[in-house]
Amino acid sequence: MQFDTPHLIRYGITALVVGLILALRLRRMSKARPLILERLWIIPALYALLVASLFLRLQPSLGGSALCAAALVVGGGLGWQRGKMMRLSVDPETHQLNQRASIGGLLFIVVLIAIKLVGQAEGSALHLNVVLLTQAFGTMALGLFSAMRLEMYLRGRRLLAQARAAA
């Protein structure tokens, strides 16, 4: 059995970086952070610009466009589920909306990133179009971030309305 050392080093460094980020993120997850509903649109908007730049560089074929549209829908469904995993709460005195990420939601993102990295690394060996794969994962991530934040916005608005009505 022969090992491809450069690939092993690259996978090892990637795993180390992801592990470090995951450890830092897990430490911060136990604390509730303020959630400002009016700012939830910013990340999806920035990511939409990034995805648009992927499509401006190289426009996909009709089949590639269909794949990206399907990836957007799948990402939206996954994002909605991830948004439901976020724990939202309202401070009864100040009516400050707070969020706390769930470990499941974080691990969910890590698995998606791992699938993307392996797909890109092995894409040329499997004769896959790596650019189309990047565009598809980009649109899936756009759907994920957008739907997650939309779900959080709707639920947060409902929680705030309930807290204000009870006061």
Side-chain angles (χ1 to χ4, degrees):
M1 181 176 204
Q2 189 175 13
F3 293 105
D4 189 9
T5 306
H7 278 105
L8 289 176
I9 291 172
R10 186 173 2 154
Y11 288 143
I13 290 172
T14 302
L16 182 67
V17 169
V18 168
L20 180 64
I21 291 171
L22 186 60
L24 292 173
R25 188 79 173 118
L26 283 172
R27 201 177 85 197
R28 287 183 35 204
M29 285 177 64
S30 62
K31 298 177 185 174
R33 296 179 315 176
L35 176 64
I36 301 170
L37 293 177
E38 294 79 19
R39 293 185 188 166
L40 285 175
W41 65 272
I42 295 172
I43 296 295
L46 292 174
Y47 209 78
L49 291 174
L50 177 69
V51 170
S53 74
L54 289 174
F55 286 97
L56 287 176
R57 263 191 249 150
L58 184 64
Q59 294 180 355
S61 65
L62 184 59
S65 296
L67 175 67
C68 290
L72 183 68
V73 170
V74 168
L78 294 173
W80 193 268
Q81 290 304 314
R82 183 166 188 260
K84 287 173 129 180
M85 291 182 198
M86 301 293 281
R87 290 180 244 156
L88 303 183
S89 62
V90 178
D91 185 318
E93 294 176 13
T94 64
H95 294 156
Q96 171 64 46
L97 190 60
N98 296 305
Q99 72 174 357
R100 206 168 1 152
S102 71
I103 292 173
L106 181 63
L107 292 177
F108 181 72
I109 292 295
V110 170
V111 168
L112 288 178
I113 290 170
I115 291 170
K116 179 187 181 293
L117 291 174
V118 169
Q120 281 186 318
E122 302 302 325
S124 59
L126 298 173
H127 304 292
L128 297 175
N129 183 341
V130 177
V131 173
L132 180 59
L133 191 63
T134 301
Q135 290 171 333
F137 271 107
T139 54
M140 186 175 84
L142 176 61
L144 191 140
F145 294 143
S146 300
M148 179 185 84
R149 290 172 183 273
L150 176 62
E151 195 281 335
M152 290 171 61
Y153 173 81
L154 294 172
R155 192 162 34 109
R157 193 175 66 175
R158 187 178 64 243
L159 288 172
L160 280 175
Q162 289 172 353
R164 289 179 179 143

